[in-house]
Amino acid sequence: MSLIVIGTMAYDAIETPFGKTDRIVGGSATYVAWSASNFYSPIRQVSIVGGDFDQREMDELSTRGVDFEGVEMVKDGKSFFWSGRYHTDMNTRDTLITDLNVLAQFNPRLPESYQDCQYLMLGNLAPAVQLSVIRQLKQRPKLIVLDTMNFWMDVALDDLKLVLREIDVLVVNDGEARQLSGEFSLVKAAQVICNMGPKYLIIKKGEHGALLFYNDQIFSAPALPLEVVFDPTGAGDTFAGGFIGYIAQQDDISFETMKKAVITGSALASFCVEKFGPERLKEITQADIEKRLQQFEMLAKF
Amino acid sequence: MSLIVIGTMAYDAIETPFGKTDRIVGGSATYVAWSASNFYSPIRQVSIVGGDFDQREMDELSTRGVDFEGVEMVKDGKSFFWSGRYHTDMNTRDTLITDLNVLAQFNPRLPESYQDCQYLMLGNLAPAVQLSVIRQLKQRPKLIVLDTMNFWMDVALDDLKLVLREIDVLVVNDGEARQLSGEFSLVKAAQVICNMGPKYLIIKKGEHGALLFYNDQIFSAPALPLEVVFDPTGAGDTFAGGFIGYIAQQDDISFETMKKAVITGSALASFCVEKFGPERLKEITQADIEKRLQQFEMLAKF
């Protein structure tokens, strides 16, 4: 039994009102792995990196039960690089540089050892690549979770619609849910999107928390009110990692478990934004997570 | 023992993407009274109306335990009139007409019978008028709740700061909390505002719910995700009415009771937006409210 994570492993240069980093490890699969490995292993990673990718980043994750057999290393290539600058409100950002590099040739081949997959996390990536991973699995996983973004709705909507038919849980933010459905009301948007395939829909609303939709049931998860959001990069991937990591740990896909998984994802995301990149995720302990989860309980209980 | 409500009793003309009304009863004190009277009586109303105000509107509320001795009737004057048009997003609106009429001469005198006040709801109104009501009470109420809006921050900030020193709970929306505090982070805004006087702060976030701040504790109340918001007029006043009505009913001002009061206010507000003006509030039964409160529990429980 295992959890497969597919996504980017990359470098980012980030500028926020609080400071800047020149080059820090990032990528959707990196954040998902750091987050999910608090709850579950083995995690079988699927990604592509260049010769410039620091082996120590993988070694750190290996000690947490992350398997890199499915990560292609292109020795004479460069890792995906993204650079961006956040505005003062921290909700909007400008992309300064996007160098696809080795990501342009990414055509993942699942190792045979990955066929024990029960939980599949399709991190933010081209929908066609996400679909190819589903198709390579001989047995359908218990749960397939897809994270995506508005960029793919703009440039690869048909591919995205194909992969939506194959998954169980879709994770998007409120703007993306509106774009994908053409509906302003999130309740109506959820109805339209669930007709496209997913049984469950998570709509992330940043500082306003997240909504989980399943049939006619809705769960509203609070966000932890924060004094400072230092760097939002990777918060969405970290949410997804906490979500699927908790479900894999519980080995249960009931609505009750999914609610707690949304809270767990939100808690992990609240750590992520406290420092640059995945720095804070590398520091936190089980005790830190436990304490943060209690804060969420205090916040929502009445 | 009683609950005093001070605010406007008025007529509105409302235009939304779903339709328009020519002239419908409104005003902050009207909405508060309809909402709070589901939970508590007697409610002692303080307001001013013109000779055009329909006696039947007061008769309806009288049967729910609302006392109008403190409402001044200016026979040859006209009631306050407001007209506005909501934009498609329902979060923004244009004011088309504001006719103060008798409100311009409002200088409330509390009847002697109002001195049994234990709970005081200062509905949205000029801060100087709100303050004069506090000063007329010989014994300080158990709890004073103040609702206000950005307009008073623009034109009467000094008066508002004076009344803030005298109250227990301030109710504002997120934009107003940011304006009043000069802080973007709502956590920091709450610290600044609580230093101005209020012990408790409620920040309403519309479709994103509400936050209740008290010392270092925070409670996050969800909003009911709605397919359609038909008319948001009065939703904030209705929230305030449900909040203080529930507290007066419980006769308890602990943080635990305040949390449930925020949920109760949110539930009442979710009815208010379903029809024009206070129409829906006039229809709902205790069973409707009970059912809606259960929906909030389902929504937030994990």
Side-chain angles (χ1 to χ4, degrees):
Chain A
M1 213 179 100
S2 73
L3 162 60
I4 291 184
V5 173
I6 173 163
T8 54
M9 294 175 65
Y11 283 101
D12 295 332
I14 304 162
E15 215 178 308
T16 80
F18 302 103
K20 61 187 285 186
T21 61
D22 272 347
R23 189 177 161 83
I24 190 168
V25 70
S28 55
T30 302
Y31 285 102
V32 172
W34 273 105
S35 185
S37 59
N38 286 294
F39 306 101
Y40 186 79
S41 70
I43 292 174
R44 308 208 189 281
Q45 199 87 334
V46 181
S47 194
I48 188 167
V49 295
D52 59 337
F53 200 86
D54 192 337
Q55 180 63 39
R56 285 170 299 184
E57 295 291 348
M58 290 193 259
D59 292 346
E60 279 185 300
L61 280 169
S62 292
T63 66
R64 297 169 68 101
V66 182
D67 171 2
F68 290 93
E69 195 188 339
V71 175
E72 187 183 344
M73 155 82 79
V74 184
K75 284 230 165 78
D76 54 354
K78 274 187 155 185
S79 302
F80 174 48
F81 178 77
W82 175 83
S83 162
R85 183 190 293 132
Y86 288 89
H87 302 169
T88 317
D89 68 1
M90 288 299 211
N91 285 321
T92 49
R93 67 186 185 189
D94 296 323
T95 289
L96 305 175
I97 302 168
T98 305
D99 288 335
L100 286 181
N101 299 329
V102 295
L103 197 61
Q105 67 191 78
F106 187 32
N107 184 17
R109 290 278 153 258
L110 288 195
E112 188 54 35
S113 64
Y114 279 39
Q115 291 294 343
D116 66 349
C117 168
Q118 296 236 4
Y119 294 95
L120 175 57
M121 178 71 231
L122 300 164
N124 181 27
L125 203 68
V129 178
Q130 293 174 319
L131 191 60
S132 91
V133 172
I134 298 177
R135 299 236 161 114
Q136 288 175 59
L137 285 167
K138 290 166 195 157
Q139 198 160 9
R140 192 190 191 281
K142 266 193 195 174
L143 193 78
I144 304 178
V145 179
L146 178 94
D147 192 13
T148 189
M149 68 184 295
N150 52 353
F151 178 74
W152 304 114
M153 298 170 195
D154 293 337
V155 306
L157 185 58
D158 289 343
D159 285 352
L160 180 58
K161 285 186 174 169
L162 281 180
V163 65
L164 284 178
R165 287 192 210 153
E166 307 288 331
I167 63 160
D168 301 299
V169 185
L170 173 66
V171 184
V172 287
N173 69 29
D174 43 2
E176 290 155 356
R178 289 181 170 129
Q179 178 173 349
L180 185 58
S181 66
E183 291 285 350
F184 185 79
S185 151
L186 296 181
V187 178
K188 286 188 187 172
Q191 289 161 356
V192 171
I193 291 170
C194 287
N195 278 330
M196 293 176 175
K199 286 186 276 296
Y200 302 86
L201 171 67
I202 296 171
I203 301 182
K204 297 173 291 178
K205 303 191 297 172
E207 64 169 304
H208 301 301
L211 297 172
L212 168 65
F213 293 87
Y214 173 59
N215 292 332
D216 57 350
Q217 296 179 78
I218 310 178
F219 171 60
S220 172
L224 195 71
L226 298 170
E227 278 195 41
V228 171
V229 171
F230 189 82
D231 172 20
T233 308
D237 309 311
T238 303
F239 173 90
F243 175 77
I244 199 153
Y246 180 80
I247 290 174
Q249 181 195 56
Q250 300 298 311
D251 194 19
D252 177 67
I253 58 170
S254 68
F255 189 58
E256 286 310 308
T257 295
M258 291 226 184
K259 289 180 183 181
K260 289 185 184 148
V262 170
I263 296 292
T264 305
S266 305
L268 270 287
S270 76
F271 284 116
C272 179
V273 303
E274 290 178 352
K275 291 196 174 179
F276 270 126
E279 277 175 9
R280 186 70 180 123
L281 295 179
K282 294 184 180 188
E283 295 171 352
I284 54 170
T285 64
Q286 290 291 332
D288 293 327
I289 296 172
E290 200 46 58
K291 203 175 149 198
R292 189 61 55 99
L293 287 170
Q294 280 165 13
Q295 281 182 279
F296 272 81
E297 226 165 281
M298 293 291 292
L299 192 63
K301 214 175 132 188
F302 64 86
Chain B
M1 214 180 99
S2 72
L3 161 60
I4 290 184
V5 173
I6 174 164
T8 54
M9 292 175 67
Y11 284 101
D12 296 331
I14 305 161
E15 215 178 309
T16 78
F18 302 102
K20 61 187 285 187
T21 62
D22 271 350
R23 187 177 162 84
I24 190 168
V25 70
S28 56
T30 302
Y31 284 101
V32 172
W34 274 105
S35 184
S37 59
N38 286 295
F39 306 100
Y40 186 79
S41 69
I43 293 174
R44 308 210 189 280
Q45 200 88 332
V46 181
S47 194
I48 188 166
V49 295
D52 60 338
F53 199 85
D54 192 337
Q55 180 62 40
R56 285 170 299 185
E57 295 292 346
M58 290 193 259
D59 293 345
E60 280 184 301
L61 280 169
S62 291
T63 65
R64 298 169 67 101
V66 182
D67 171 1
F68 289 93
E69 196 188 338
V71 176
E72 187 183 347
M73 155 82 79
V74 185
K75 283 231 168 73
D76 54 354
K78 274 188 157 185
S79 302
F80 174 49
F81 178 77
W82 176 83
S83 162
R85 185 189 293 133
Y86 289 88
H87 301 170
T88 318
D89 68 1
M90 288 300 213
N91 286 321
T92 51
R93 67 186 187 190
D94 297 325
T95 289
L96 304 175
I97 304 169
T98 304
D99 288 337
L100 284 182
N101 298 329
V102 296
L103 197 62
Q105 67 191 78
F106 188 32
N107 184 16
R109 290 280 154 257
L110 287 195
E112 188 54 35
S113 63
Y114 279 39
Q115 291 294 343
D116 66 350
C117 169
Q118 295 236 7
Y119 293 95
L120 175 57
M121 177 70 233
L122 300 164
N124 181 28
L125 204 67
V129 178
Q130 293 174 321
L131 191 59
S132 92
V133 172
I134 298 176
R135 299 233 161 116
Q136 289 175 58
L137 285 167
K138 291 167 194 156
Q139 199 160 9
R140 191 190 192 279
K142 265 193 195 174
L143 193 77
I144 304 178
V145 180
L146 178 92
D147 192 13
T148 191
M149 68 185 294
N150 52 353
F151 177 76
W152 305 113
M153 299 172 193
D154 293 337
V155 306
L157 185 60
D158 289 344
D159 286 351
L160 180 60
K161 284 185 176 169
L162 282 179
V163 65
L164 284 178
R165 287 193 211 152
E166 308 290 332
I167 64 158
D168 301 298
V169 185
L170 174 66
V171 184
V172 287
N173 70 29
D174 43 1
E176 290 156 356
R178 288 181 171 130
Q179 178 173 349
L180 185 59
S181 65
E183 291 285 351
F184 184 80
S185 150
L186 296 180
V187 178
K188 286 187 186 170
Q191 290 161 355
V192 172
I193 291 170
C194 287
N195 279 330
M196 295 176 173
K199 286 185 276 297
Y200 301 86
L201 172 66
I202 295 171
I203 301 182
K204 297 172 293 178
K205 302 190 298 172
E207 63 170 305
H208 302 301
L211 297 172
L212 168 66
F213 293 87
Y214 174 58
N215 293 333
D216 58 350
Q217 295 178 81
I218 310 178
F219 171 59
S220 173
L224 195 70
L226 298 170
E227 278 196 41
V228 169
V229 172
F230 190 82
D231 172 20
T233 308
D237 309 310
T238 303
F239 173 90
F243 176 78
I244 198 151
Y246 180 82
I247 289 174
Q249 180 195 57
Q250 301 298 311
D251 194 20
D252 177 66
I253 58 171
S254 68
F255 189 59
E256 285 310 309
T257 295
M258 292 226 184
K259 288 181 185 183
K260 288 185 184 150
V262 170
I263 295 291
T264 305
S266 305
L268 270 288
S270 76
F271 285 116
C272 179
V273 303
E274 290 178 351
K275 291 195 174 181
F276 270 127
E279 278 175 8
R280 185 73 179 119
L281 295 179
K282 294 185 179 187
E283 296 171 350
I284 54 170
T285 63
Q286 290 291 332
D288 292 328
I289 296 172
E290 200 46 57
K291 204 176 147 196
R292 188 64 53 100
L293 287 169
Q294 280 165 14
Q295 281 182 276
F296 272 82
E297 226 164 280
M298 292 293 292
L299 192 62
K301 215 174 134 189
F302 63 88

